[in-house]
Amino acid sequence: MSSSAHDKITPTAANDSGRDRWEREFDSIPGAAEPRHNRSGIEIKPLYTPLDWDASRHDAVLGYPGQAPFTRGIYPSMHRGRHWTQRQLIGLGTPSDYNARLKTLLDAGTSAISLIPCNSVYRGVDADTVDPLLLGTCGTVINTPEDFAAALDGIPIEKLSIGLNDPLPFTLLAQLLVLAKNRGVPWTALRGTSNQSDYLSHYVANHMFFRLALPGSRRVLVDAIDFLGREVPNWNPLSVVGQHMQQAGATPAQAMAFTLCTAIQCAEDCLARGMDPDAFLPRFTFFYDISISFFEEIAKFRAGRRLWARITRDRLGARDPKSWRFKFHAQTSGVDLTRQQPLNNIARVTAQAIAGLFGGLQSLHTDSYDEVLSTPTEDAARIAINTQNILREEAGLADVIDPLGGSYYVENLTDQMEAEIEAVIAEIDAVGGMYAAVEQGLVQRLVGDSAIAFQGRIERGEQKIVGVNAYVAPDKPDERVPLERPDPAAIAALVDRLRVYKAERDPVAVSDAEAALVSAARDPNANLFAAVVAATDTGLTQGEIVARLQDELGFGQPLAMV
C-alpha cells in the first residue's frame, strides 16, 4: 500500500483488526491505491475516518449556522427558512424580446431579475456604431433609459431583486435609477447587485468588460460604493467575481483566494477614503463558478465563508456581524459543458447545482444544456429552471442546513482548501495586494499555469470528459430547435429609434451634460458615479458616457501575457 494512500490513517487498539483487514483487501485491488488529486492539487485519500477531523474543534471551526465562524452558513435557517434566489441570466435581442422572455421565466419560477446586455454594450459602444448582424445575439441591446424602460415594462422593480451585469461606469444601474425616478419608486426600495463591478477580474480574465484604465476603474468603483451606500442603501455595489478567474483556468482554491484578495483590496480602498467598514462591508457580495468537482466546490465555499469572517473582523476591523457574512451568487460552470452530446450537460448542471446548494449559496443560476451552443433556447432555459425546482421541491435539498457538515472527508477537505487559499492570499499580499498583483501580471501567470496544467491532464486522458475523451459517440445533428437570430427588422428599427433619440435631444443640454461629466472626471473630489447618473438622466447614451470617460480616464487595455 502506498504511504500517500493512507497517510493520517493510523490504527488504534480498538480498530486494529478491522483496519488491517480493510488495508489488505484494498491493496489487493489493482489501481485502487493510485494517487488521486482534485483540481486544486489536493491529494484525495481513499477513506476518511474520525482520525481525519478532530471533533473537539467543532465550536471553533464549525459552529452553528448564522454564527461565527459561519462555516455552516451565514443565516440561522439558511434554505430551510428562505429558499435560495433563482436568478436566471437572461439576455437576447431587443428590449421587448428581453421583456417577453423575462415574463415567461418569472411565470416558470424565476424569483429575481438578471439582465445580460449585448456584447456591444459590454464594449461600451452604441448600437448605431456596430454591424447590425452582431446586435442582440449574446444579450439585449440597451443604450438609453428608454431601452431600459422597455426591457422592464410591466415589471415591479420595487418588488424584485435585480442583478445587472453592468461593468463600470455602471450605465445600466444609472438607467435603473432614472427609471425608478420616473416611476416614482424611491431609490431606497431598490434591491439588487451590480454583478459585474469587479474590474480586477475583468482586467485579468474578461477583457471585453474592461472599459477604463486601472486607476480610473479603481476610482469609479469606490465612488459608486460611496454614492450607493448613501442614496441606494439596499443595493449591493460590489460583486467580487471568481467566475471569470476559474473559467479562465484558476483552480477552485485559487479562484476563492483571488476573490478574497480583491475584496480586501476594495475594502482597503474604501477605508482609505474614510468609510466605515461596517457601513460598506455588509453590501459586499461574491459571484462564483461551480465546477463539476463536487466535494471540492463544497469545501471551497465553506472555507471561503470561514476565511471571510476572519478577514473582515481581524484585518478590516469590522465589528458588526453583518459585515462578516459571506454572501454569494453562483453559476454552474459553462466551461464544464460540452458541445459533444450536449444533453449530458443536464446531468453536469444538476451535479454542479447540488454542490452549490450544499456549499451554502444565496442565489443560483443553472446553465441551460445548450449554452455551449448559443444563447439558451426557451425550452432549454425552462429545463434549467426546473432543475432548481426539482432539487428544492422533490429532492428536499432545502430541508437540512449544511447536510455534509461533520463528514470526515468534507471537514478535512475544507481545512485543506482553507490552507491552500491562505497560501495564495499570502503570495498576493507579498507583492502589495491584488491591485499590484494584477498590474504586474502575477495573477494572470498563476491562472495561465493552472489552465495549461488542467488541459494537459485532459489531453493525456488523466481527466476524463464524457463525450470528449471518454465514452465518445458519433456526432449527431443538433436535435434542438435552433435559436433564431434576432429579427433583422426589429434590430433595424431599434437602431433607427436610437438615431432619432439622439437627433431629437436638446443639443445644448447634451453638451452641458458631457461637459459636467468631463469636469467631474477631472475633479478628484467629485463623485464620478453621481455624474454618470446625472448624465444618464439628461439623456446621454451609455456609449457616449463610456467614450467621454475613456477620453479622460484612459482606455481599458489589459496586460498582454506572453
Side-chain angles (χ1 to χ4, degrees), residues 434-470:
M434 192 65 174
Y435 188 94
V438 300
E439 192 173 40
Q440 298 168 19
L442 171 61
V443 176
Q444 295 90 317
R445 178 176 59 77
L446 293 173
V447 170
D449 289 347
S450 294
I452 292 169
F454 185 71
Q455 184 61 33
R457 290 177 60 196
I458 295 173
E459 293 174 358
R460 292 189 298 271
E462 298 167 5
Q463 175 69 55
K464 298 291 192 296
I465 309 293
V466 174
V468 176
N469 65 358

PDB file of all heavy atoms in Angstrom, residues 434-470:
ATOM      1  N   MET A 434      -3.887  42.831  -4.279  1.00  0.00           N
ATOM      2  CA  MET A 434      -4.452  42.376  -5.544  1.00  0.00           C
ATOM      3  C   MET A 434      -4.251  43.369  -6.678  1.00  0.00           C
ATOM      4  O   MET A 434      -3.977  42.977  -7.810  1.00  0.00           O
ATOM      5  CB  MET A 434      -5.949  42.074  -5.348  1.00  0.00           C
ATOM      6  CG  MET A 434      -6.578  41.318  -6.495  1.00  0.00           C
ATOM      7  SD  MET A 434      -5.892  39.651  -6.681  1.00  0.00           S
ATOM      8  CE  MET A 434      -6.956  39.000  -7.978  1.00  0.00           C
ATOM      9  N   TYR A 435      -4.378  44.655  -6.403  1.00  0.00           N
ATOM     10  CA  TYR A 435      -4.200  45.649  -7.462  1.00  0.00           C
ATOM     11  C   TYR A 435      -2.790  45.535  -8.046  1.00  0.00           C
ATOM     12  O   TYR A 435      -2.604  45.475  -9.267  1.00  0.00           O
ATOM     13  CB  TYR A 435      -4.452  47.051  -6.907  1.00  0.00           C
ATOM     14  CG  TYR A 435      -4.486  48.153  -7.939  1.00  0.00           C
ATOM     15  CD1 TYR A 435      -5.693  48.572  -8.488  1.00  0.00           C
ATOM     16  CD2 TYR A 435      -3.313  48.777  -8.361  1.00  0.00           C
ATOM     17  CE1 TYR A 435      -5.737  49.600  -9.428  1.00  0.00           C
ATOM     18  CE2 TYR A 435      -3.341  49.796  -9.302  1.00  0.00           C
ATOM     19  CZ  TYR A 435      -4.558  50.205  -9.824  1.00  0.00           C
ATOM     20  OH  TYR A 435      -4.586  51.214 -10.762  1.00  0.00           O
ATOM     21  N   ALA A 436      -1.807  45.482  -7.182  1.00  0.00           N
ATOM     22  CA  ALA A 436      -0.426  45.365  -7.643  1.00  0.00           C
ATOM     23  C   ALA A 436      -0.190  44.024  -8.326  1.00  0.00           C
ATOM     24  O   ALA A 436       0.542  43.940  -9.333  1.00  0.00           O
ATOM     25  CB  ALA A 436       0.538  45.530  -6.464  1.00  0.00           C
ATOM     26  N   ALA A 437      -0.802  42.969  -7.819  1.00  0.00           N
ATOM     27  CA  ALA A 437      -0.581  41.631  -8.376  1.00  0.00           C
ATOM     28  C   ALA A 437      -1.106  41.515  -9.806  1.00  0.00           C
ATOM     29  O   ALA A 437      -0.474  40.890 -10.666  1.00  0.00           O
ATOM     30  CB  ALA A 437      -1.232  40.577  -7.485  1.00  0.00           C
ATOM     31  N   VAL A 438      -2.276  42.123 -10.086  1.00  0.00           N
ATOM     32  CA  VAL A 438      -2.789  42.058 -11.450  1.00  0.00           C
ATOM     33  C   VAL A 438      -2.064  43.054 -12.356  1.00  0.00           C
ATOM     34  O   VAL A 438      -1.854  42.799 -13.545  1.00  0.00           O
ATOM     35  CB  VAL A 438      -4.312  42.280 -11.501  1.00  0.00           C
ATOM     36  CG1 VAL A 438      -5.045  41.235 -10.679  1.00  0.00           C
ATOM     37  CG2 VAL A 438      -4.711  43.673 -11.060  1.00  0.00           C
ATOM     38  N   GLU A 439      -1.667  44.175 -11.799  1.00  0.00           N
ATOM     39  CA  GLU A 439      -0.923  45.163 -12.577  1.00  0.00           C
ATOM     40  C   GLU A 439       0.416  44.585 -13.044  1.00  0.00           C
ATOM     41  O   GLU A 439       0.872  44.840 -14.163  1.00  0.00           O
ATOM     42  CB  GLU A 439      -0.694  46.407 -11.722  1.00  0.00           C
ATOM     43  CG  GLU A 439      -0.192  47.618 -12.478  1.00  0.00           C
ATOM     44  CD  GLU A 439      -0.146  48.853 -11.588  1.00  0.00           C
ATOM     45  OE1 GLU A 439       0.243  48.721 -10.395  1.00  0.00           O
ATOM     46  OE2 GLU A 439      -0.476  49.936 -12.068  1.00  0.00           O
ATOM     47  N   GLN A 440       1.019  43.750 -12.201  1.00  0.00           N
ATOM     48  CA  GLN A 440       2.306  43.131 -12.526  1.00  0.00           C
ATOM     49  C   GLN A 440       2.168  41.855 -13.347  1.00  0.00           C
ATOM     50  O   GLN A 440       3.157  41.359 -13.888  1.00  0.00           O
ATOM     51  CB  GLN A 440       3.054  42.809 -11.228  1.00  0.00           C
ATOM     52  CG  GLN A 440       3.404  44.010 -10.378  1.00  0.00           C
ATOM     53  CD  GLN A 440       3.880  43.628  -8.990  1.00  0.00           C
ATOM     54  OE1 GLN A 440       4.280  42.487  -8.747  1.00  0.00           O
ATOM     55  NE2 GLN A 440       3.807  44.574  -8.059  1.00  0.00           N
ATOM     56  N   GLY A 441       0.952  41.292 -13.427  1.00  0.00           N
ATOM     57  CA  GLY A 441       0.746  40.060 -14.179  1.00  0.00           C
ATOM     58  C   GLY A 441       0.909  38.788 -13.381  1.00  0.00           C
ATOM     59  O   GLY A 441       0.843  37.693 -13.949  1.00  0.00           O
ATOM     60  N   LEU A 442       1.076  38.887 -12.061  1.00  0.00           N
ATOM     61  CA  LEU A 442       1.238  37.682 -11.253  1.00  0.00           C
ATOM     62  C   LEU A 442      -0.007  36.803 -11.317  1.00  0.00           C
ATOM     63  O   LEU A 442       0.082  35.583 -11.516  1.00  0.00           O
ATOM     64  CB  LEU A 442       1.539  38.064  -9.798  1.00  0.00           C
ATOM     65  CG  LEU A 442       1.519  36.906  -8.785  1.00  0.00           C
ATOM     66  CD1 LEU A 442       2.568  35.868  -9.132  1.00  0.00           C
ATOM     67  CD2 LEU A 442       1.718  37.420  -7.363  1.00  0.00           C
ATOM     68  N   VAL A 443      -1.167  37.400 -11.135  1.00  0.00           N
ATOM     69  CA  VAL A 443      -2.407  36.615 -11.136  1.00  0.00           C
ATOM     70  C   VAL A 443      -2.616  35.966 -12.500  1.00  0.00           C
ATOM     71  O   VAL A 443      -2.986  34.786 -12.602  1.00  0.00           O
ATOM     72  CB  VAL A 443      -3.608  37.502 -10.755  1.00  0.00           C
ATOM     73  CG1 VAL A 443      -4.906  36.721 -10.859  1.00  0.00           C
ATOM     74  CG2 VAL A 443      -3.427  38.045  -9.333  1.00  0.00           C
ATOM     75  N   GLN A 444      -2.378  36.715 -13.576  1.00  0.00           N
ATOM     76  CA  GLN A 444      -2.539  36.165 -14.918  1.00  0.00           C
ATOM     77  C   GLN A 444      -1.633  34.953 -15.125  1.00  0.00           C
ATOM     78  O   GLN A 444      -2.034  33.951 -15.748  1.00  0.00           O
ATOM     79  CB  GLN A 444      -2.238  37.235 -15.972  1.00  0.00           C
ATOM     80  CG  GLN A 444      -3.220  38.397 -15.976  1.00  0.00           C
ATOM     81  CD  GLN A 444      -2.817  39.544 -15.066  1.00  0.00           C
ATOM     82  OE1 GLN A 444      -2.371  39.328 -13.931  1.00  0.00           O
ATOM     83  NE2 GLN A 444      -2.955  40.774 -15.538  1.00  0.00           N
ATOM     84  N   ARG A 445      -0.397  35.036 -14.617  1.00  0.00           N
ATOM     85  CA  ARG A 445       0.538  33.915 -14.781  1.00  0.00           C
ATOM     86  C   ARG A 445       0.054  32.690 -14.015  1.00  0.00           C
ATOM     87  O   ARG A 445       0.099  31.561 -14.536  1.00  0.00           O
ATOM     88  CB  ARG A 445       1.928  34.321 -14.310  1.00  0.00           C
ATOM     89  CG  ARG A 445       2.952  33.189 -14.405  1.00  0.00           C
ATOM     90  CD  ARG A 445       4.343  33.645 -14.033  1.00  0.00           C
ATOM     91  NE  ARG A 445       4.426  34.168 -12.686  1.00  0.00           N
ATOM     92  CZ  ARG A 445       4.454  33.400 -11.592  1.00  0.00           C
ATOM     93  NH1 ARG A 445       4.387  32.084 -11.695  1.00  0.00           N
ATOM     94  NH2 ARG A 445       4.555  33.953 -10.388  1.00  0.00           N
ATOM     95  N   LEU A 446      -0.422  32.895 -12.786  1.00  0.00           N
ATOM     96  CA  LEU A 446      -0.903  31.768 -11.995  1.00  0.00           C
ATOM     97  C   LEU A 446      -2.110  31.112 -12.655  1.00  0.00           C
ATOM     98  O   LEU A 446      -2.214  29.876 -12.703  1.00  0.00           O
ATOM     99  CB  LEU A 446      -1.259  32.243 -10.586  1.00  0.00           C
ATOM    100  CG  LEU A 446      -0.089  32.711  -9.712  1.00  0.00           C
ATOM    101  CD1 LEU A 446      -0.610  33.319  -8.409  1.00  0.00           C
ATOM    102  CD2 LEU A 446       0.879  31.567  -9.420  1.00  0.00           C
ATOM    103  N   VAL A 447      -3.021  31.929 -13.163  1.00  0.00           N
ATOM    104  CA  VAL A 447      -4.202  31.390 -13.845  1.00  0.00           C
ATOM    105  C   VAL A 447      -3.784  30.616 -15.097  1.00  0.00           C
ATOM    106  O   VAL A 447      -4.265  29.507 -15.368  1.00  0.00           O
ATOM    107  CB  VAL A 447      -5.189  32.515 -14.209  1.00  0.00           C
ATOM    108  CG1 VAL A 447      -6.298  31.994 -15.120  1.00  0.00           C
ATOM    109  CG2 VAL A 447      -5.793  33.125 -12.947  1.00  0.00           C
ATOM    110  N   GLY A 448      -2.888  31.202 -15.882  1.00  0.00           N
ATOM    111  CA  GLY A 448      -2.438  30.544 -17.101  1.00  0.00           C
ATOM    112  C   GLY A 448      -1.744  29.225 -16.833  1.00  0.00           C
ATOM    113  O   GLY A 448      -1.980  28.224 -17.535  1.00  0.00           O
ATOM    114  N   ASP A 449      -0.897  29.188 -15.815  1.00  0.00           N
ATOM    115  CA  ASP A 449      -0.204  27.938 -15.472  1.00  0.00           C
ATOM    116  C   ASP A 449      -1.201  26.849 -15.090  1.00  0.00           C
ATOM    117  O   ASP A 449      -1.058  25.681 -15.486  1.00  0.00           O
ATOM    118  CB  ASP A 449       0.772  28.176 -14.318  1.00  0.00           C
ATOM    119  CG  ASP A 449       1.988  28.999 -14.732  1.00  0.00           C
ATOM    120  OD1 ASP A 449       2.211  29.191 -15.944  1.00  0.00           O
ATOM    121  OD2 ASP A 449       2.711  29.462 -13.818  1.00  0.00           O
ATOM    122  N   SER A 450      -2.223  27.217 -14.326  1.00  0.00           N
ATOM    123  CA  SER A 450      -3.224  26.227 -13.915  1.00  0.00           C
ATOM    124  C   SER A 450      -4.044  25.749 -15.103  1.00  0.00           C
ATOM    125  O   SER A 450      -4.368  24.557 -15.209  1.00  0.00           O
ATOM    126  CB  SER A 450      -4.147  26.826 -12.840  1.00  0.00           C
ATOM    127  OG  SER A 450      -3.429  27.088 -11.656  1.00  0.00           O
ATOM    128  N   ALA A 451      -4.375  26.662 -16.018  1.00  0.00           N
ATOM    129  CA  ALA A 451      -5.143  26.281 -17.207  1.00  0.00           C
ATOM    130  C   ALA A 451      -4.366  25.296 -18.065  1.00  0.00           C
ATOM    131  O   ALA A 451      -4.915  24.291 -18.558  1.00  0.00           O
ATOM    132  CB  ALA A 451      -5.500  27.530 -18.011  1.00  0.00           C
ATOM    133  N   ILE A 452      -3.076  25.571 -18.261  1.00  0.00           N
ATOM    134  CA  ILE A 452      -2.239  24.687 -19.072  1.00  0.00           C
ATOM    135  C   ILE A 452      -2.119  23.318 -18.420  1.00  0.00           C
ATOM    136  O   ILE A 452      -2.187  22.270 -19.092  1.00  0.00           O
ATOM    137  CB  ILE A 452      -0.853  25.320 -19.289  1.00  0.00           C
ATOM    138  CG1 ILE A 452      -0.977  26.556 -20.191  1.00  0.00           C
ATOM    139  CG2 ILE A 452       0.124  24.317 -19.900  1.00  0.00           C
ATOM    140  CD1 ILE A 452       0.274  27.400 -20.264  1.00  0.00           C
ATOM    141  N   ALA A 453      -1.955  23.303 -17.109  1.00  0.00           N
ATOM    142  CA  ALA A 453      -1.829  22.030 -16.399  1.00  0.00           C
ATOM    143  C   ALA A 453      -3.100  21.198 -16.525  1.00  0.00           C
ATOM    144  O   ALA A 453      -3.042  19.980 -16.759  1.00  0.00           O
ATOM    145  CB  ALA A 453      -1.498  22.287 -14.929  1.00  0.00           C
ATOM    146  N   PHE A 454      -4.260  21.841 -16.394  1.00  0.00           N
ATOM    147  CA  PHE A 454      -5.523  21.096 -16.483  1.00  0.00           C
ATOM    148  C   PHE A 454      -5.748  20.585 -17.905  1.00  0.00           C
ATOM    149  O   PHE A 454      -6.177  19.438 -18.104  1.00  0.00           O
ATOM    150  CB  PHE A 454      -6.686  21.981 -16.044  1.00  0.00           C
ATOM    151  CG  PHE A 454      -8.005  21.261 -15.990  1.00  0.00           C
ATOM    152  CD1 PHE A 454      -8.263  20.323 -15.012  1.00  0.00           C
ATOM    153  CD2 PHE A 454      -8.998  21.524 -16.929  1.00  0.00           C
ATOM    154  CE1 PHE A 454      -9.480  19.652 -14.952  1.00  0.00           C
ATOM    155  CE2 PHE A 454     -10.211  20.862 -16.885  1.00  0.00           C
ATOM    156  CZ  PHE A 454     -10.451  19.926 -15.893  1.00  0.00           C
ATOM    157  N   GLN A 455      -5.459  21.416 -18.895  1.00  0.00           N
ATOM    158  CA  GLN A 455      -5.624  20.979 -20.275  1.00  0.00           C
ATOM    159  C   GLN A 455      -4.707  19.793 -20.581  1.00  0.00           C
ATOM    160  O   GLN A 455      -5.084  18.871 -21.307  1.00  0.00           O
ATOM    161  CB  GLN A 455      -5.326  22.130 -21.240  1.00  0.00           C
ATOM    162  CG  GLN A 455      -5.562  21.791 -22.705  1.00  0.00           C
ATOM    163  CD  GLN A 455      -7.000  21.416 -22.998  1.00  0.00           C
ATOM    164  OE1 GLN A 455      -7.922  21.929 -22.369  1.00  0.00           O
ATOM    165  NE2 GLN A 455      -7.194  20.510 -23.949  1.00  0.00           N
ATOM    166  N   GLY A 456      -3.509  19.810 -20.004  1.00  0.00           N
ATOM    167  CA  GLY A 456      -2.601  18.683 -20.188  1.00  0.00           C
ATOM    168  C   GLY A 456      -3.171  17.392 -19.633  1.00  0.00           C
ATOM    169  O   GLY A 456      -3.027  16.312 -20.235  1.00  0.00           O
ATOM    170  N   ARG A 457      -3.855  17.485 -18.491  1.00  0.00           N
ATOM    171  CA  ARG A 457      -4.476  16.294 -17.910  1.00  0.00           C
ATOM    172  C   ARG A 457      -5.564  15.742 -18.821  1.00  0.00           C
ATOM    173  O   ARG A 457      -5.724  14.527 -18.955  1.00  0.00           O
ATOM    174  CB  ARG A 457      -5.064  16.629 -16.535  1.00  0.00           C
ATOM    175  CG  ARG A 457      -4.020  16.901 -15.451  1.00  0.00           C
ATOM    176  CD  ARG A 457      -4.697  17.294 -14.143  1.00  0.00           C
ATOM    177  NE  ARG A 457      -5.580  16.240 -13.665  1.00  0.00           N
ATOM    178  CZ  ARG A 457      -6.513  16.408 -12.751  1.00  0.00           C
ATOM    179  NH1 ARG A 457      -6.706  17.617 -12.223  1.00  0.00           N
ATOM    180  NH2 ARG A 457      -7.268  15.404 -12.359  1.00  0.00           N
ATOM    181  N   ILE A 458      -6.300  16.638 -19.462  1.00  0.00           N
ATOM    182  CA  ILE A 458      -7.335  16.192 -20.399  1.00  0.00           C
ATOM    183  C   ILE A 458      -6.703  15.505 -21.601  1.00  0.00           C
ATOM    184  O   ILE A 458      -7.123  14.421 -22.025  1.00  0.00           O
ATOM    185  CB  ILE A 458      -8.202  17.378 -20.846  1.00  0.00           C
ATOM    186  CG1 ILE A 458      -8.990  17.938 -19.656  1.00  0.00           C
ATOM    187  CG2 ILE A 458      -9.158  16.959 -21.970  1.00  0.00           C
ATOM    188  CD1 ILE A 458      -9.751  19.217 -19.974  1.00  0.00           C
ATOM    189  N   GLU A 459      -5.679  16.126 -22.162  1.00  0.00           N
ATOM    190  CA  GLU A 459      -5.053  15.590 -23.365  1.00  0.00           C
ATOM    191  C   GLU A 459      -4.353  14.268 -23.098  1.00  0.00           C
ATOM    192  O   GLU A 459      -4.274  13.409 -23.995  1.00  0.00           O
ATOM    193  CB  GLU A 459      -4.081  16.621 -23.935  1.00  0.00           C
ATOM    194  CG  GLU A 459      -4.792  17.868 -24.458  1.00  0.00           C
ATOM    195  CD  GLU A 459      -3.848  18.960 -24.898  1.00  0.00           C
ATOM    196  OE1 GLU A 459      -2.609  18.782 -24.772  1.00  0.00           O
ATOM    197  OE2 GLU A 459      -4.340  20.014 -25.372  1.00  0.00           O
ATOM    198  N   ARG A 460      -3.851  14.068 -21.894  1.00  0.00           N
ATOM    199  CA  ARG A 460      -3.211  12.799 -21.544  1.00  0.00           C
ATOM    200  C   ARG A 460      -4.229  11.740 -21.123  1.00  0.00           C
ATOM    201  O   ARG A 460      -3.867  10.588 -20.859  1.00  0.00           O
ATOM    202  CB  ARG A 460      -2.202  13.007 -20.413  1.00  0.00           C
ATOM    203  CG  ARG A 460      -0.983  13.829 -20.808  1.00  0.00           C
ATOM    204  CD  ARG A 460       0.078  13.810 -19.717  1.00  0.00           C
ATOM    205  NE  ARG A 460      -0.397  14.404 -18.464  1.00  0.00           N
ATOM    206  CZ  ARG A 460      -0.311  15.694 -18.153  1.00  0.00           C
ATOM    207  NH1 ARG A 460       0.207  16.552 -19.044  1.00  0.00           N
ATOM    208  NH2 ARG A 460      -0.750  16.151 -16.996  1.00  0.00           N
ATOM    209  N   GLY A 461      -5.496  12.126 -21.016  1.00  0.00           N
ATOM    210  CA  GLY A 461      -6.528  11.186 -20.613  1.00  0.00           C
ATOM    211  C   GLY A 461      -6.638  10.980 -19.126  1.00  0.00           C
ATOM    212  O   GLY A 461      -7.398  10.117 -18.666  1.00  0.00           O
ATOM    213  N   GLU A 462      -5.892  11.775 -18.344  1.00  0.00           N
ATOM    214  CA  GLU A 462      -5.954  11.641 -16.887  1.00  0.00           C
ATOM    215  C   GLU A 462      -7.250  12.234 -16.337  1.00  0.00           C
ATOM    216  O   GLU A 462      -7.765  11.770 -15.316  1.00  0.00           O
ATOM    217  CB  GLU A 462      -4.752  12.341 -16.251  1.00  0.00           C
ATOM    218  CG  GLU A 462      -3.416  11.748 -16.660  1.00  0.00           C
ATOM    219  CD  GLU A 462      -2.242  12.621 -16.276  1.00  0.00           C
ATOM    220  OE1 GLU A 462      -2.471  13.654 -15.597  1.00  0.00           O
ATOM    221  OE2 GLU A 462      -1.106  12.305 -16.657  1.00  0.00           O
ATOM    222  N   GLN A 463      -7.753  13.269 -16.991  1.00  0.00           N
ATOM    223  CA  GLN A 463      -9.037  13.868 -16.630  1.00  0.00           C
ATOM    224  C   GLN A 463     -10.046  13.465 -17.699  1.00  0.00           C
ATOM    225  O   GLN A 463      -9.945  13.860 -18.852  1.00  0.00           O
ATOM    226  CB  GLN A 463      -8.925  15.392 -16.567  1.00  0.00           C
ATOM    227  CG  GLN A 463     -10.243  16.108 -16.313  1.00  0.00           C
ATOM    228  CD  GLN A 463     -10.773  15.859 -14.910  1.00  0.00           C
ATOM    229  OE1 GLN A 463     -10.081  16.095 -13.931  1.00  0.00           O
ATOM    230  NE2 GLN A 463     -12.000  15.378 -14.812  1.00  0.00           N
ATOM    231  N   LYS A 464     -10.992  12.639 -17.318  1.00  0.00           N
ATOM    232  CA  LYS A 464     -11.975  12.146 -18.276  1.00  0.00           C
ATOM    233  C   LYS A 464     -13.100  13.159 -18.469  1.00  0.00           C
ATOM    234  O   LYS A 464     -13.642  13.693 -17.498  1.00  0.00           O
ATOM    235  CB  LYS A 464     -12.564  10.825 -17.798  1.00  0.00           C
ATOM    236  CG  LYS A 464     -11.554   9.688 -17.654  1.00  0.00           C
ATOM    237  CD  LYS A 464     -11.043   9.226 -18.995  1.00  0.00           C
ATOM    238  CE  LYS A 464     -10.265   7.908 -18.900  1.00  0.00           C
ATOM    239  NZ  LYS A 464      -9.033   8.009 -18.093  1.00  0.00           N
ATOM    240  N   ILE A 465     -13.442  13.423 -19.718  1.00  0.00           N
ATOM    241  CA  ILE A 465     -14.575  14.270 -20.072  1.00  0.00           C
ATOM    242  C   ILE A 465     -15.486  13.433 -20.961  1.00  0.00           C
ATOM    243  O   ILE A 465     -15.126  13.095 -22.097  1.00  0.00           O
ATOM    244  CB  ILE A 465     -14.141  15.548 -20.824  1.00  0.00           C
ATOM    245  CG1 ILE A 465     -13.030  16.294 -20.061  1.00  0.00           C
ATOM    246  CG2 ILE A 465     -15.348  16.436 -21.081  1.00  0.00           C
ATOM    247  CD1 ILE A 465     -13.473  16.883 -18.755  1.00  0.00           C
ATOM    248  N   VAL A 466     -16.655  13.088 -20.456  1.00  0.00           N
ATOM    249  CA  VAL A 466     -17.563  12.202 -21.176  1.00  0.00           C
ATOM    250  C   VAL A 466     -17.971  12.849 -22.499  1.00  0.00           C
ATOM    251  O   VAL A 466     -18.418  13.999 -22.540  1.00  0.00           O
ATOM    252  CB  VAL A 466     -18.796  11.881 -20.322  1.00  0.00           C
ATOM    253  CG1 VAL A 466     -19.819  11.077 -21.131  1.00  0.00           C
ATOM    254  CG2 VAL A 466     -18.385  11.114 -19.068  1.00  0.00           C
ATOM    255  N   GLY A 467     -17.795  12.093 -23.564  1.00  0.00           N
ATOM    256  CA  GLY A 467     -18.141  12.588 -24.896  1.00  0.00           C
ATOM    257  C   GLY A 467     -17.011  13.295 -25.592  1.00  0.00           C
ATOM    258  O   GLY A 467     -17.096  13.570 -26.792  1.00  0.00           O
ATOM    259  N   VAL A 468     -15.941  13.612 -24.846  1.00  0.00           N
ATOM    260  CA  VAL A 468     -14.799  14.323 -25.429  1.00  0.00           C
ATOM    261  C   VAL A 468     -13.595  13.400 -25.538  1.00  0.00           C
ATOM    262  O   VAL A 468     -13.069  13.171 -26.629  1.00  0.00           O
ATOM    263  CB  VAL A 468     -14.443  15.580 -24.604  1.00  0.00           C
ATOM    264  CG1 VAL A 468     -13.197  16.262 -25.156  1.00  0.00           C
ATOM    265  CG2 VAL A 468     -15.616  16.545 -24.587  1.00  0.00           C
ATOM    266  N   ASN A 469     -13.149  12.859 -24.389  1.00  0.00           N
ATOM    267  CA  ASN A 469     -12.042  11.906 -24.428  1.00  0.00           C
ATOM    268  C   ASN A 469     -12.394  10.582 -23.760  1.00  0.00           C
ATOM    269  O   ASN A 469     -11.527   9.764 -23.491  1.00  0.00           O
ATOM    270  CB  ASN A 469     -10.779  12.511 -23.799  1.00  0.00           C
ATOM    271  CG  ASN A 469     -10.936  12.791 -22.310  1.00  0.00           C
ATOM    272  OD1 ASN A 469     -12.001  12.568 -21.734  1.00  0.00           O
ATOM    273  ND2 ASN A 469      -9.880  13.296 -21.687  1.00  0.00           N
ATOM    274  N   ALA A 470     -13.678  10.378 -23.493  1.00  0.00           N
ATOM    275  CA  ALA A 470     -14.164   9.120 -22.918  1.00  0.00           C
ATOM    276  C   ALA A 470     -15.627   8.938 -23.325  1.00  0.00           C
ATOM    277  O   ALA A 470     -16.380   9.910 -23.409  1.00  0.00           O
ATOM    278  CB  ALA A 470     -14.041   9.137 -21.398  1.00  0.00           C
TER     279      ALA A 470
END
